[in-house]
Amino acid sequence: MKHLKQVFGGSLQQYTMALALVALVVIFDVISGGRMLTASNFQNLISGNAYVLVLAIGMVMVIVVGHIDLSVGSVAAFVGMSVAISIRDWGLPWWAGLLLGIVVGILVGAWHGFWLAKMGIPGFITTLAGMMIFRGLVIWMSHSISVPVPREFQVLGAGYLPEWGPAFTGMNNSTLVLGIIAAAWFIYHELRRRASLLARNHEAPLWATVVRLTLIVVVIGYLTYLFGSGRPGTSFPIPGLILVALVIIYHVITQRTRLGRHIYAVGGNKAAAALSGVSVPKVYFVVMMNMSFLAAIAGILFVGRATSAGPSDGTMWELDAIAAVFIGGAAVSGGIGTVVGSMIGGLVMAVLNSGLMLMGVGADQTQVIKGLVLLAAVAFDVRNKVQGKPSVIGAMTRRFAKDKPNPVSTTD
């Protein structure tokens, strides 16, 4: 266990869900006869779930500060419909419609932020009202009829990275370059991390760094091959590229900036944060506005993939986003949660959907299984917070120690 902790950076618990994700992929691939680990399935998995993962990025920040947003699905649908109608009926170019949708999302977020930060109405009630208001507006605006969007939106929602240059590798060159950049960045990051640990006189075995680098680079290489070797005309999806960019940006914001520190401070102890000079209403306002901004992006990605905006778009999206955040390790009481963890939680839900579909499991049974997974993830979080209760990994470690024979003692 000591060696595993050194390889995984000293804490196995944060990797539990990532390991569960890998296990799910392998199990479904075996059960489905190799249909899980295919280029087309993974491309569809990313494109088809990008909007939920984008919502999860914003939702984790809302949950960390101790609130919840029930309106994101309705806001995404409202933005998508606004964009489609503005282009069709007002004659706006596609890019102007895109900008309009983002502005609408920001304004909706400011509306929610006002009621929470200035009027003191809890986020649950504020966004519950928003869910009803914007769902009604979508139906009223559309007259219950779908509205098509231009081809440019279809590229954003369902397009692929372009091909260029010689095809001597048998892969899409754009995807290949993306994979090389990802591997190079990870190597650079790990080497800097090790140098920082050594500079602070912390233990950082070279072998553990090499093993960790090897494992991650192999995974990146395999995913690069998987996405880049599909049928002609396909590669890494553009929605996935947008998602990766957002994950990097928001990971930096939440972990490396003053705003991020304030978000976690408010979620950990609102009164203490206020006493230390943090403007709690400002944090609430920014977090809610950001959530609707990301809901606008999610809505635009979805209508691009669906090729039209419909009156029922966004239904139950908020529940998928909330489930992704909690499965990814966020605490029910707030103060704990990460963007990367939420992405892993969202991918677990996506893999469950895809794998169960490949197995022929119905939508009703799939919902039951997803609900049980969510319940198990939250129970795991609650158990870890009970004083004196070991985590699952801790319990396994203790059991292993009990089963291990004691060395024979000798006396002179």
Coordinates of all heavy atoms in Angstrom, one line a residue, residues 270-358:
K270 N -18.9 29.9 6.1 CA -19.3 31.2 5.6 C -19.0 32.3 6.5 O -18.5 33.4 6.2 CB -20.8 31.1 5.2 CG -21.3 32.4 4.7 CD -22.8 32.3 4.2 CE -23.7 32.0 5.4 NZ -25.1 32.0 5.0
A271 N -19.3 32.1 7.8 CA -19.0 33.1 8.8 C -17.6 33.5 9.0 O -17.2 34.6 9.0 CB -19.6 32.7 10.2
A272 N -16.7 32.4 9.0 CA -15.3 32.7 9.1 C -14.8 33.4 7.8 O -13.9 34.2 7.9 CB -14.6 31.3 9.3
A273 N -15.3 33.0 6.7 CA -14.8 33.7 5.4 C -15.2 35.1 5.5 O -14.4 36.0 5.1 CB -15.5 33.0 4.2
A274 N -16.4 35.5 5.9 CA -16.8 36.9 6.0 C -15.9 37.7 7.0 O -15.5 38.8 6.7 CB -18.3 37.0 6.4
L275 N -15.6 37.0 8.1 CA -14.7 37.7 9.1 C -13.3 37.9 8.5 O -12.6 38.9 9.0 CB -14.7 36.9 10.4 CG -16.0 36.9 11.2 CD1 -15.8 35.9 12.4 CD2 -16.3 38.3 11.7
S276 N -12.9 37.1 7.6 CA -11.5 37.2 7.1 C -11.5 38.2 5.9 O -10.5 38.3 5.2 CB -11.0 35.9 6.6 OG -11.8 35.3 5.6
G277 N -12.6 38.8 5.6 CA -12.6 39.8 4.5 C -13.2 39.3 3.2 O -13.2 40.1 2.2
V278 N -13.7 38.1 3.1 CA -14.3 37.6 1.9 C -15.7 38.2 1.7 O -16.5 38.1 2.7 CB -14.3 36.1 1.8 CG1 -15.1 35.6 0.6 CG2 -12.9 35.5 1.9
S279 N -16.1 38.7 0.5 CA -17.4 39.2 0.3 C -18.3 38.0 -0.1 O -18.3 37.6 -1.3 CB -17.4 40.3 -0.8 OG -18.7 40.6 -1.1
V280 N -19.1 37.5 0.8 CA -19.9 36.3 0.6 C -20.9 36.6 -0.5 O -21.1 35.8 -1.4 CB -20.5 35.8 1.9 CG1 -21.5 34.6 1.6 CG2 -19.5 35.4 2.9
P281 N -21.7 37.7 -0.5 CA -22.6 38.0 -1.5 C -22.0 38.0 -2.9 O -22.6 37.6 -3.9 CB -23.2 39.3 -1.1 CG -23.1 39.4 0.3 CD -21.8 38.7 0.6
K282 N -20.8 38.6 -3.0 CA -20.1 38.7 -4.3 C -19.8 37.3 -4.8 O -19.9 37.0 -6.0 CB -18.8 39.5 -4.2 CG -18.1 39.7 -5.5 CD -16.8 40.5 -5.3 CE -16.0 40.7 -6.6 NZ -14.8 41.5 -6.4
V283 N -19.3 36.4 -3.9 CA -19.0 35.1 -4.3 C -20.2 34.4 -4.8 O -20.2 33.7 -5.9 CB -18.3 34.3 -3.2 CG1 -18.2 32.8 -3.5 CG2 -17.0 34.8 -2.9
Y284 N -21.3 34.5 -4.1 CA -22.6 33.9 -4.5 C -23.0 34.4 -5.9 O -23.4 33.6 -6.8 CB -23.7 34.2 -3.5 CG -23.7 33.4 -2.3 CD1 -24.4 33.8 -1.1 CD2 -22.9 32.3 -2.1 CE1 -24.3 33.1 0.1 CE2 -22.9 31.5 -1.0 CZ -23.6 32.0 0.1 OH -23.5 31.3 1.3
F285 N -22.9 35.7 -6.1 CA -23.3 36.3 -7.4 C -22.5 35.8 -8.5 O -23.0 35.4 -9.6 CB -23.2 37.8 -7.3 CG -23.7 38.6 -8.5 CD1 -25.1 38.9 -8.6 CD2 -22.9 38.9 -9.5 CE1 -25.5 39.6 -9.7 CE2 -23.3 39.6 -10.7 CZ -24.7 39.9 -10.8
V286 N -21.2 35.8 -8.4 CA -20.3 35.3 -9.4 C -20.5 33.8 -9.8 O -20.6 33.4 -10.9 CB -18.8 35.6 -9.0 CG1 -17.9 34.9 -10.0 CG2 -18.5 37.0 -9.0
V287 N -20.7 33.0 -8.7 CA -20.9 31.6 -8.9 C -22.2 31.3 -9.7 O -22.2 30.5 -10.6 CB -20.9 30.8 -7.6 CG1 -21.4 29.4 -7.7 CG2 -19.5 30.8 -7.0
M288 N -23.3 32.0 -9.3 CA -24.6 31.8 -10.0 C -24.5 32.3 -11.4 O -25.1 31.7 -12.4 CB -25.7 32.5 -9.2 CG -25.9 31.9 -7.8 SD -26.2 30.1 -7.8 CE -27.8 30.0 -8.6
M289 N -23.9 33.4 -11.7 CA -23.8 34.0 -13.0 C -22.9 33.1 -13.9 O -23.3 32.8 -15.0 CB -23.2 35.4 -13.0 CG -23.2 36.1 -14.3 SD -22.8 37.9 -14.2 CE -21.1 37.8 -13.6
N290 N -21.9 32.5 -13.3 CA -21.0 31.6 -14.1 C -21.8 30.3 -14.4 O -21.6 29.8 -15.5 CB -19.8 31.3 -13.2 CG -18.9 30.2 -13.9 OD1 -18.2 30.5 -14.8 ND2 -18.9 29.0 -13.4
M291 N -22.6 29.9 -13.5 CA -23.4 28.6 -13.8 C -24.3 28.8 -15.0 O -24.3 27.9 -15.9 CB -24.2 28.3 -12.6 CG -25.0 27.0 -12.7 SD -24.1 25.5 -12.7 CE -24.0 25.1 -14.5
S292 N -25.0 29.9 -15.1 CA -25.8 30.1 -16.3 C -25.0 30.4 -17.5 O -25.5 30.1 -18.6 CB -26.8 31.3 -16.0 OG -27.7 30.9 -15.0
F293 N -23.9 31.0 -17.4 CA -23.0 31.2 -18.5 C -22.6 29.8 -19.1 O -22.6 29.6 -20.3 CB -21.7 31.9 -18.1 CG -20.6 31.8 -19.1 CD1 -20.6 32.5 -20.3 CD2 -19.5 31.1 -18.7 CE1 -19.5 32.3 -21.2 CE2 -18.4 31.0 -19.6 CZ -18.4 31.6 -20.8
L294 N -22.2 28.9 -18.3 CA -21.9 27.5 -18.7 C -23.1 26.8 -19.2 O -23.0 26.0 -20.2 CB -21.2 26.7 -17.6 CG -19.8 27.2 -17.2 CD1 -19.3 26.5 -16.0 CD2 -18.8 27.0 -18.4
A295 N -24.3 27.1 -18.6 CA -25.5 26.5 -19.1 C -25.8 26.9 -20.6 O -26.3 26.2 -21.4 CB -26.7 26.8 -18.2
A296 N -25.5 28.2 -20.8 CA -25.6 28.7 -22.2 C -24.7 28.0 -23.2 O -25.1 27.6 -24.3 CB -25.3 30.2 -22.2
I297 N -23.5 27.7 -22.8 CA -22.6 27.0 -23.7 C -23.1 25.6 -23.9 O -23.0 25.0 -25.0 CB -21.2 27.0 -23.0 CG1 -20.6 28.4 -23.0 CG2 -20.2 26.0 -23.8 CD1 -19.2 28.5 -22.4
A298 N -23.6 24.9 -22.8 CA -24.1 23.6 -22.9 C -25.3 23.6 -23.9 O -25.4 22.6 -24.7 CB -24.5 23.1 -21.5
G299 N -26.2 24.5 -23.8 CA -27.3 24.6 -24.7 C -26.9 24.8 -26.1 O -27.5 24.1 -27.0
I300 N -25.9 25.6 -26.4 CA -25.4 25.8 -27.7 C -24.8 24.5 -28.3 O -25.0 24.1 -29.5 CB -24.4 27.0 -27.8 CG1 -25.1 28.3 -27.5 CG2 -23.7 27.0 -29.1 CD1 -24.2 29.5 -27.2
L301 N -24.0 23.8 -27.5 CA -23.4 22.5 -27.9 C -24.5 21.5 -28.2 O -24.5 20.8 -29.2 CB -22.5 22.0 -26.8 CG -21.2 22.7 -26.6 CD1 -20.4 22.1 -25.5 CD2 -20.4 22.8 -27.8
F302 N -25.6 21.5 -27.4 CA -26.6 20.5 -27.6 C -27.4 20.8 -28.9 O -27.7 19.8 -29.7 CB -27.6 20.4 -26.4 CG -28.7 19.4 -26.6 CD1 -28.4 18.1 -26.3 CD2 -29.9 19.8 -27.0 CE1 -29.4 17.1 -26.4 CE2 -30.9 18.8 -27.1 CZ -30.7 17.5 -26.9
V303 N -27.8 22.0 -29.1 CA -28.6 22.3 -30.3 C -27.8 22.1 -31.6 O -28.3 21.7 -32.6 CB -29.2 23.7 -30.3 CG1 -30.1 23.9 -29.1 CG2 -28.1 24.8 -30.3
G304 N -26.4 22.3 -31.4 CA -25.6 22.0 -32.6 C -25.6 20.5 -32.9 O -25.6 20.1 -34.1
R305 N -25.5 19.6 -31.9 CA -25.6 18.2 -32.1 C -26.9 17.7 -32.6 O -27.0 16.9 -33.4 CB -25.2 17.5 -30.8 CG -25.2 16.0 -31.0 CD -24.6 15.3 -29.7 NE -24.8 13.8 -29.7 CZ -24.0 13.0 -30.4 NH1 -23.0 13.5 -31.1 NH2 -24.2 11.7 -30.4
A306 N -28.0 18.3 -32.0 CA -29.3 17.9 -32.4 C -29.8 18.5 -33.7 O -30.9 18.2 -34.2 CB -30.3 18.3 -31.2
T307 N -29.1 19.6 -34.2 CA -29.4 20.3 -35.4 C -30.6 21.2 -35.3 O -31.0 21.9 -36.2 CB -29.6 19.4 -36.6 OG1 -30.8 18.7 -36.5 CG2 -28.4 18.4 -36.8
S308 N -31.2 21.3 -34.1 CA -32.3 22.2 -33.9 C -32.6 22.3 -32.4 O -32.1 21.6 -31.6 CB -33.6 21.6 -34.5 OG -34.0 20.4 -33.9
A309 N -33.3 23.4 -32.0 CA -33.7 23.7 -30.7 C -35.1 23.2 -30.5 O -36.0 23.6 -31.3 CB -33.5 25.2 -30.3
G310 N -35.4 22.5 -29.4 CA -36.7 22.0 -29.2 C -37.3 22.4 -27.9 O -36.5 22.8 -26.9
P311 N -38.6 22.4 -27.7 CA -39.2 22.8 -26.4 C -38.9 21.9 -25.2 O -39.1 22.3 -24.1 CB -40.7 22.8 -26.8 CG -40.8 21.8 -27.9 CD -39.6 21.9 -28.7
S312 N -38.5 20.6 -25.5 CA -38.2 19.7 -24.4 C -36.7 19.6 -24.1 O -36.4 18.7 -23.3 CB -38.8 18.3 -24.7 OG -38.2 17.8 -25.9
D313 N -35.9 20.4 -24.8 CA -34.5 20.3 -24.5 C -34.2 20.6 -23.0 O -34.9 21.5 -22.4 CB -33.7 21.3 -25.4 CG -33.8 20.9 -26.9 OD1 -34.2 19.8 -27.2 OD2 -33.4 21.7 -27.7
G314 N -33.2 20.0 -22.5 CA -32.7 20.4 -21.2 C -33.5 19.7 -20.0 O -33.1 19.9 -18.9
T315 N -34.4 18.8 -20.4 CA -35.2 18.2 -19.3 C -34.3 17.2 -18.5 O -33.7 16.4 -19.1 CB -36.4 17.4 -19.9 OG1 -37.2 18.3 -20.7 CG2 -37.3 16.8 -18.9
M316 N -34.3 17.4 -17.2 CA -33.5 16.5 -16.3 C -32.0 16.7 -16.4 O -31.3 16.0 -15.7 CB -33.9 15.1 -16.5 CG -35.4 14.7 -16.4 SD -36.0 14.9 -14.7 CE -35.3 13.4 -14.0
W317 N -31.6 17.7 -17.1 CA -30.1 17.9 -17.2 C -29.5 18.2 -15.9 O -28.4 17.9 -15.6 CB -29.8 19.0 -18.2 CG -30.0 18.6 -19.6 CD1 -30.6 17.5 -20.1 CD2 -29.6 19.4 -20.8 NE1 -30.6 17.5 -21.5 CE2 -30.0 18.6 -21.9 CE3 -29.0 20.6 -21.0 CZ2 -29.8 19.1 -23.2 CZ3 -28.8 21.1 -22.3 CH2 -29.2 20.3 -23.4
E318 N -30.3 19.0 -15.1 CA -29.7 19.5 -13.8 C -29.5 18.3 -12.9 O -28.5 18.3 -12.2 CB -30.7 20.4 -13.1 CG -32.1 20.0 -13.0 CD -33.0 20.2 -14.2 OE1 -32.5 20.9 -15.1 OE2 -34.1 19.7 -14.2
L319 N -30.3 17.2 -13.0 CA -30.1 16.1 -12.1 C -28.8 15.3 -12.6 O -28.1 14.8 -11.7 CB -31.3 15.2 -12.2 CG -32.6 15.8 -11.7 CD1 -33.7 14.8 -11.7 CD2 -32.4 16.5 -10.4
D320 N -28.6 15.2 -13.9 CA -27.4 14.5 -14.4 C -26.1 15.3 -13.9 O -25.1 14.7 -13.5 CB -27.4 14.4 -15.9 CG -28.4 13.4 -16.4 OD1 -28.7 12.5 -15.6 OD2 -28.9 13.5 -17.5
A321 N -26.2 16.6 -14.0 CA -25.0 17.4 -13.6 C -24.8 17.3 -12.1 O -23.6 17.2 -11.6 CB -25.3 18.9 -13.9
I322 N -25.8 17.3 -11.3 CA -25.7 17.2 -9.8 C -25.1 15.8 -9.5 O -24.3 15.7 -8.6 CB -27.0 17.5 -9.1 CG1 -27.5 18.9 -9.3 CG2 -27.0 17.1 -7.7 CD1 -28.9 19.2 -8.9
A323 N -25.7 14.8 -10.1 CA -25.2 13.4 -9.9 C -23.7 13.3 -10.2 O -22.9 12.7 -9.5 CB -26.0 12.4 -10.7
A324 N -23.3 13.9 -11.3 CA -21.9 13.9 -11.7 C -21.0 14.5 -10.7 O -19.9 14.0 -10.3 CB -21.7 14.6 -13.1
V325 N -21.4 15.6 -10.1 CA -20.6 16.3 -9.1 C -20.5 15.5 -7.8 O -19.4 15.4 -7.3 CB -21.3 17.7 -8.8 CG1 -20.6 18.4 -7.6 CG2 -21.2 18.6 -10.0
F326 N -21.6 14.9 -7.4 CA -21.5 14.1 -6.1 C -20.7 12.8 -6.3 O -20.0 12.4 -5.4 CB -22.9 13.9 -5.6 CG -23.5 15.1 -4.9 CD1 -24.8 15.5 -5.3 CD2 -22.8 15.8 -4.0 CE1 -25.4 16.6 -4.6 CE2 -23.4 16.9 -3.3 CZ -24.6 17.3 -3.7
I327 N -20.9 12.2 -7.5 CA -20.2 11.0 -7.7 C -18.7 11.3 -7.8 O -17.8 10.5 -7.5 CB -20.7 10.3 -9.0 CG1 -22.1 9.7 -8.8 CG2 -19.7 9.2 -9.5 CD1 -22.7 9.2 -10.0
G328 N -18.4 12.5 -8.3 CA -17.0 12.9 -8.4 C -16.3 13.3 -7.1 O -15.2 13.8 -7.1
G329 N -17.0 13.2 -6.0 CA -16.4 13.4 -4.7 C -16.8 14.7 -4.0 O -16.2 15.0 -2.9
A330 N -17.7 15.5 -4.5 CA -18.1 16.7 -3.8 C -18.9 16.3 -2.5 O -19.6 15.3 -2.4 CB -19.0 17.6 -4.7
A331 N -18.8 17.2 -1.5 CA -19.4 16.9 -0.2 C -20.8 17.5 -0.2 O -21.1 18.6 -0.8 CB -18.6 17.5 0.9
V332 N -21.8 16.8 0.3 CA -23.2 17.3 0.4 C -23.3 18.6 1.2 O -24.1 19.4 0.9 CB -24.0 16.2 1.0 CG1 -25.5 16.7 1.1 CG2 -24.0 14.9 0.2
S333 N -22.4 18.7 2.2 CA -22.5 19.9 3.0 C -21.7 21.1 2.5 O -21.7 22.2 3.0 CB -21.8 19.6 4.4 OG -20.5 19.1 4.3
G334 N -21.1 20.9 1.3 CA -20.3 22.0 0.7 C -18.9 22.1 1.1 O -18.5 21.4 2.0
G335 N -18.1 22.9 0.5 CA -16.7 23.1 0.8 C -15.7 22.2 0.2 O -14.5 22.4 0.2
I336 N -16.2 21.1 -0.4 CA -15.3 20.1 -1.0 C -15.8 19.7 -2.4 O -17.0 19.5 -2.5 CB -15.3 18.8 -0.1 CG1 -14.7 19.1 1.3 CG2 -14.4 17.7 -0.8 CD1 -14.7 17.9 2.2
G337 N -14.9 19.6 -3.3 CA -15.3 19.2 -4.7 C -14.3 19.9 -5.6 O -13.8 21.0 -5.4
T338 N -14.0 19.2 -6.7 CA -13.1 19.7 -7.7 C -13.7 19.5 -9.1 O -14.6 18.7 -9.3 CB -11.8 18.9 -7.7 OG1 -12.0 17.5 -8.0 CG2 -11.1 19.0 -6.3
V339 N -13.2 20.3 -10.0 CA -13.6 20.2 -11.4 C -13.2 18.9 -12.0 O -14.0 18.2 -12.7 CB -13.0 21.4 -12.2 CG1 -13.3 21.2 -13.7 CG2 -13.6 22.7 -11.8
V340 N -12.0 18.5 -11.8 CA -11.5 17.2 -12.4 C -12.3 16.0 -11.8 O -12.7 15.1 -12.5 CB -10.0 17.0 -12.1 CG1 -9.6 15.6 -12.5 CG2 -9.2 18.1 -12.8
G341 N -12.6 16.1 -10.5 CA -13.4 15.0 -9.9 C -14.8 15.0 -10.5 O -15.4 13.9 -10.7
S342 N -15.4 16.1 -10.8 CA -16.7 16.2 -11.4 C -16.7 15.6 -12.8 O -17.7 15.0 -13.2 CB -17.3 17.6 -11.4 OG -17.4 18.1 -10.1
M343 N -15.6 15.8 -13.5 CA -15.5 15.3 -14.8 C -15.4 13.7 -14.8 O -16.1 13.1 -15.6 CB -14.2 15.8 -15.5 CG -14.3 17.3 -15.9 SD -15.6 17.8 -16.9 CE -16.8 18.4 -15.7
I344 N -14.7 13.2 -13.8 CA -14.7 11.8 -13.6 C -16.1 11.2 -13.3 O -16.5 10.2 -13.8 CB -13.6 11.4 -12.6 CG1 -12.2 11.8 -13.0 CG2 -13.7 9.9 -12.2 CD1 -11.2 11.6 -12.0
G345 N -16.8 11.9 -12.4 CA -18.1 11.5 -12.0 C -19.0 11.5 -13.2 O -19.8 10.6 -13.4
G346 N -18.9 12.6 -14.1 CA -19.8 12.7 -15.3 C -19.4 11.6 -16.3 O -20.3 11.0 -16.9
L347 N -18.1 11.2 -16.4 CA -17.8 10.1 -17.3 C -18.2 8.8 -16.8 O -18.6 7.9 -17.6 CB -16.2 10.1 -17.5 CG -15.7 11.3 -18.3 CD1 -14.1 11.3 -18.3 CD2 -16.2 11.2 -19.8
V348 N -18.3 8.6 -15.5 CA -18.8 7.4 -14.9 C -20.3 7.2 -15.3 O -20.7 6.1 -15.8 CB -18.7 7.4 -13.4 CG1 -19.5 6.3 -12.8 CG2 -17.2 7.2 -13.0
M349 N -21.0 8.3 -15.2 CA -22.5 8.3 -15.7 C -22.6 8.0 -17.2 O -23.4 7.2 -17.6 CB -23.1 9.6 -15.3 CG -23.1 9.9 -13.8 SD -24.2 8.8 -12.9 CE -25.8 9.4 -13.2
A350 N -21.7 8.6 -17.9 CA -21.7 8.4 -19.4 C -21.4 7.0 -19.8 O -22.0 6.4 -20.7 CB -20.8 9.4 -20.1
V351 N -20.4 6.5 -19.1 CA -20.0 5.1 -19.4 C -21.1 4.1 -19.0 O -21.4 3.1 -19.7 CB -18.6 4.7 -18.7 CG1 -18.4 3.2 -18.7 CG2 -17.5 5.5 -19.4
L352 N -21.7 4.4 -17.9 CA -22.9 3.5 -17.5 C -24.0 3.6 -18.5 O -24.5 2.5 -18.9 CB -23.4 4.0 -16.1 CG -22.7 3.6 -14.8 CD1 -23.3 4.3 -13.6 CD2 -22.9 2.0 -14.7
N353 N -24.3 4.8 -19.0 CA -25.3 4.9 -20.0 C -24.9 4.1 -21.3 O -25.7 3.3 -21.8 CB -25.5 6.3 -20.4 CG -26.4 7.1 -19.4 OD1 -27.3 6.5 -18.8 ND2 -26.2 8.4 -19.3
S354 N -23.7 4.3 -21.7 CA -23.2 3.7 -23.0 C -23.1 2.1 -22.8 O -23.6 1.4 -23.7 CB -21.9 4.2 -23.4 OG -21.4 3.6 -24.5
G355 N -22.5 1.7 -21.7 CA -22.3 0.3 -21.5 C -23.7 -0.5 -21.3 O -23.8 -1.6 -21.9
L356 N -24.6 0.1 -20.6 CA -25.9 -0.6 -20.4 C -26.7 -0.6 -21.7 O -27.4 -1.5 -21.9 CB -26.7 0.2 -19.3 CG -26.1 0.0 -17.9 CD1 -26.8 0.9 -16.9 CD2 -26.1 -1.4 -17.4
M357 N -26.5 0.5 -22.5 CA -27.2 0.5 -23.8 C -26.6 -0.6 -24.7 O -27.4 -1.3 -25.4 CB -27.0 1.8 -24.5 CG -27.8 1.9 -25.8 SD -27.5 3.5 -26.6 CE -25.7 3.4 -27.0
L358 N -25.3 -0.8 -24.7 CA -24.7 -1.9 -25.5 C -25.1 -3.3 -25.0 O -25.2 -4.2 -25.8 CB -23.2 -1.8 -25.4 CG -22.5 -0.6 -26.1 CD1 -21.0 -0.5 -25.8 CD2 -22.8 -0.6 -27.6

